[in-house]
Amino acid sequence: MPVKEFKLPDVGEGVAEGELVTWLVAPGDRVEEDQAVAEVETDKALVEVPSRYDGTVEELFVEEGEIVPVGDVIISFRVGEDGDGGGTEGEATGEPTGDSDAGATESATGASAEAESEADAEEPATPSGRTFAPPSARRLARELGVDIAAVDGSGPGGRISEADVRAHAEDDGDSDDGPSVKSASDAPDPKPAPTPTDSGSSGRKSAVKKRGGSGAGSGSEAAATASTGAAAPGPAGRETTLATPATRKVARELGVDIDDVPTDETRDGEAFVTGEDVRAYAEAPESAGEAAEASADASAPEPKSVDVSTSADAAGATGASPASESVSTDETVPYRGVRRTIGKQMERSKYTAPHVTHHDTVAVDALVEAREELKPRAEEQGVNLTYMPFVMKAIVAGLKEYPSLNSELREDEEEIVLKGDYNLGIAVATDAGLMVPVVENVDEKGLFELAEEVRDLASRARERELKPAEMKGGTFSITNFGAIGGEYATPIINYPETAILGLGAIEERPVARDGEVVAAPTLPLSLSIDHRVIDGAVAAEFANTVMEHLEHPLLLLTH
């Protein structure tokens, strides 16, 4: 079969690179044209990359978490010219799909009718449509002889987890139609299918896990070591190790050097490590230590009571410290995806544009009353009217009067571009980080229309459903830290824009009126500007214009 290489396409508006966050397929998987094969993070958006081919995944060239330039090869497929779509996963990879004995003895020229019928009976039918599962779940499915496409996913969008695969395998094991598969609690050391012969693999490098008696022994030996309290196996210290991207990710998360992980499995003469090998190596020392402690406790007589002071004295006499036995509670979180994108953008902005922040507070009695009067009318149209549309309109009024705040500095061309459009970015806090969807042509839209569009964009931002184009083209940004109770801040400009306005919480605060101090609803404002383009006096005048329109909301009708 011919091998087709697939390059990372332009998944945004002319982006130069993206981070491959998650592989949705693994080597040996069957894919169809337009099926998603990977998730790529670019410019604060998570997008799925679809396949251009019908075929079988041959090799993954990029590891999860790696930054990939657009146009680089990320994956290859084996594409058959005739009848490629009709083969099963096992036929494409050379692995047995039904009875292990029949699959291992089947030759290249064909097998007996009895073995073929048995294999066909035991292989579940593959339902149509896409199958979303991480490489670890797909690998486990192959090890347990489960058709990944037949598994019901419990994750978002039907995504399949390792637990789903095990549950499906256990259900099949309870029936008489397929091989008996026990859960991990019932059988901690299941025997995997035997390694196929060289003729069965067609002489190519297989990316499907193949474990024979010695390979299975590595897992059982680890369990035996833990149960007896013997020492864990030492590091292998190899110079070269073959492993899938998912396995390398597991090694990184567990802080394990993959070249040190013992394994009896090889591919093309090189050591091949699986995720189970990595986990066993990482857990072996701790398990052995726990087993030794348990054995010692079992052999020692149980004391009737414990004197805390005596225990402390004994610890001091032996030189042991209770603190030295405590386990670190530090947690390591990967710095990648949206968080790294935000970090790079903020770093570029902060160290490129000299920031100055102007603070002020505006009394908004009339604004509060205007919103209360309009809320019933908005609710009749199914709109939740917030203060944001009023602020957006007031900002547009200020930008029209002071266009330097609606600009971009192009240093290479040595020019300042005063934008003719009024596209306002609204910062939205999500579980994945800060998203800034853009509301275009704010000057041409009414309050209700703006309220509905902001709600829709914010909702889809939290669900990670925004398109890259919906976070492009902003000319000025707004961040509402007052939503969580803040008052003033120093927001960082969304470069290459030149200004951003931060909104505090609208609360009653002391206000001086006619010589008396009264309580009135006020809105704190924090305006950050790029001092290379905007002078402090201009920033203050812009803020005054915005505040004037918020103090007298009827002025918004003139824009």
Side-chain angles (χ1 to χ4, degrees), residues 186-462:
D186 296 333
D189 186 22
K191 295 183 179 180
T195 305
T197 60
D198 294 338
S199 60
S201 62
S202 302
R204 60 176 176 79
K205 179 173 69 174
S206 171
V208 179
K209 181 178 179 182
K210 298 181 291 185
R211 299 179 68 89
S214 60
S218 61
S220 60
E221 286 169 8
T225 300
S227 64
T228 59
R238 292 181 300 272
E239 294 185 358
T240 304
T241 302
L242 300 180
T244 64
T247 298
R248 295 183 184 276
K249 179 183 178 183
V250 171
R252 289 195 300 270
E253 292 174 350
L254 297 178
V256 171
D257 186 345
I258 202 160
D259 291 329
D260 289 341
V261 178
T263 181
D264 295 326
E265 190 172 346
T266 60
R267 298 280 174 84
D268 295 345
E270 297 288 352
F272 182 82
V273 171
T274 67
E276 289 186 359
D277 296 332
V278 173
R279 294 186 184 94
Y281 179 73
E283 297 172 359
E286 181 179 357
S287 300
E290 292 174 352
E293 292 175 4
S295 177
D297 293 341
S299 61
E302 181 179 355
K304 295 182 179 180
S305 63
V306 178
D307 188 336
V308 176
S309 61
T310 303
S311 300
D313 294 339
T318 58
S321 170
S324 64
E325 298 178 1
S326 63
V327 180
S328 173
T329 58
D330 292 347
E331 180 182 359
T332 301
V333 179
Y335 180 59
R336 61 183 181 88
V338 173
R339 176 55 54 195
R340 183 165 63 184
T341 302
I342 294 172
K344 289 185 176 180
Q345 174 71 357
M346 294 299 98
E347 179 183 20
R348 180 187 182 193
S349 176
K350 190 65 177 179
Y351 292 107
T352 300
H355 283 54
V356 171
T357 304
H358 173 86
H359 299 287
D360 217 326
T361 302
V362 54
V364 290
D365 311 59
L367 176 62
V368 172
E369 293 177 2
R371 173 175 173 265
E372 288 300 320
E373 290 182 9
L374 290 174
K375 278 184 66 177
R377 181 70 60 86
E379 291 173 355
E380 291 176 2
Q381 300 183 25
V383 175
N384 179 27
L385 183 61
T386 65
Y387 291 108
M388 183 60 74
F390 296 93
V391 175
M392 296 169 72
K393 282 292 190 180
I395 288 173
V396 169
L399 294 177
K400 287 183 176 181
E401 192 166 345
Y402 300 96
S404 61
L405 281 87
N406 198 53
S407 64
E408 175 186 344
L409 173 60
R410 296 178 179 173
E411 298 177 72
D412 294 339
E413 291 82 2
E414 296 184 341
E415 61 185 17
I416 300 172
V417 180
L418 304 179
K419 301 297 184 70
D421 297 325
Y422 300 95
N423 303 331
L424 304 189
I426 311 297
V428 179
T430 73
D431 292 340
L434 196 67
M435 304 281 186
V436 188
V438 175
V439 180
E440 298 181 344
N441 305 316
V442 174
D443 57 320
E444 301 175 4
K445 298 175 180 177
L447 293 174
F448 292 1
E449 185 178 1
L450 290 174
E452 180 59 24
E453 187 169 349
V454 169
R455 183 206 63 77
D456 174 63
L457 289 171
S459 175
R460 289 192 291 115
R462 296 186 184 98

Side-chain angles (χ1 to χ4, degrees), residues 16-362:
E17 62 183 17
E19 178 181 358
L20 200 150
V21 178
T22 307
W23 279 113
L24 303 178
V25 295
D29 287 349
R30 290 277 304 127
V31 296
E32 299 177 357
E33 185 176 358
D34 293 331
Q35 176 181 337
V37 297
E39 291 180 338
V40 174
E41 187 77 52
T42 174
D43 197 23
K44 298 184 182 179
L46 186 68
V47 296
E48 291 184 341
V49 177
S51 169
R52 291 177 51 193
Y53 306 104
D54 288 334
T56 302
V57 177
E58 172 71 8
E59 187 174 358
L60 307 180
F61 295 94
V62 178
E63 293 188 16
E64 292 179 344
E66 186 174 340
I67 302 297
V68 187
V70 170
D72 276 17
V73 176
I74 61 173
I75 188 173
S76 63
F77 303 93
R78 291 196 312 281
V79 181
E81 297 179 354
D82 297 320
D84 182 75
T88 64
E89 180 176 315
E91 291 168 346
T93 60
E95 295 289 342
T97 56
D99 185 87
S100 58
D101 293 335
T105 58
E106 188 176 30
S107 64
T109 58
S112 65
E114 181 180 355
E116 290 179 347
S117 61
E118 185 177 357
D120 293 339
E122 291 180 350
E123 181 173 344
T126 303
S128 61
R130 296 181 178 180
T131 300
F132 297 98
S136 58
R138 294 177 182 273
R139 184 178 62 251
L140 179 62
R142 289 194 295 272
E143 294 171 2
L144 299 179
V146 171
D147 183 354
I148 192 71
V151 179
D152 294 327
S154 61
R159 177 157 297 184
I160 298 170
S161 66
E162 294 184 36
D164 297 329
V165 175
R166 291 192 179 94
H168 183 87
E170 186 173 356
D171 292 341
D172 285 350
D174 293 337
S175 68
D176 295 331
D177 297 334
S180 175
V181 180
K182 299 182 179 180
S183 66
S185 60
D186 296 333
D189 186 22
K191 295 183 179 180
T195 305
T197 60
D198 294 338
S199 60
S201 62
S202 302
R204 60 176 176 79
K205 179 173 69 174
S206 171
V208 179
K209 181 178 179 182
K210 298 181 291 185
R211 299 179 68 89
S214 60
S218 61
S220 60
E221 286 169 8
T225 300
S227 64
T228 59
R238 292 181 300 272
E239 294 185 358
T240 304
T241 302
L242 300 180
T244 64
T247 298
R248 295 183 184 276
K249 179 183 178 183
V250 171
R252 289 195 300 270
E253 292 174 350
L254 297 178
V256 171
D257 186 345
I258 202 160
D259 291 329
D260 289 341
V261 178
T263 181
D264 295 326
E265 190 172 346
T266 60
R267 298 280 174 84
D268 295 345
E270 297 288 352
F272 182 82
V273 171
T274 67
E276 289 186 359
D277 296 332
V278 173
R279 294 186 184 94
Y281 179 73
E283 297 172 359
E286 181 179 357
S287 300
E290 292 174 352
E293 292 175 4
S295 177
D297 293 341
S299 61
E302 181 179 355
K304 295 182 179 180
S305 63
V306 178
D307 188 336
V308 176
S309 61
T310 303
S311 300
D313 294 339
T318 58
S321 170
S324 64
E325 298 178 1
S326 63
V327 180
S328 173
T329 58
D330 292 347
E331 180 182 359
T332 301
V333 179
Y335 180 59
R336 61 183 181 88
V338 173
R339 176 55 54 195
R340 183 165 63 184
T341 302
I342 294 172
K344 289 185 176 180
Q345 174 71 357
M346 294 299 98
E347 179 183 20
R348 180 187 182 193
S349 176
K350 190 65 177 179
Y351 292 107
T352 300
H355 283 54
V356 171
T357 304
H358 173 86
H359 299 287
D360 217 326
T361 302
V362 54

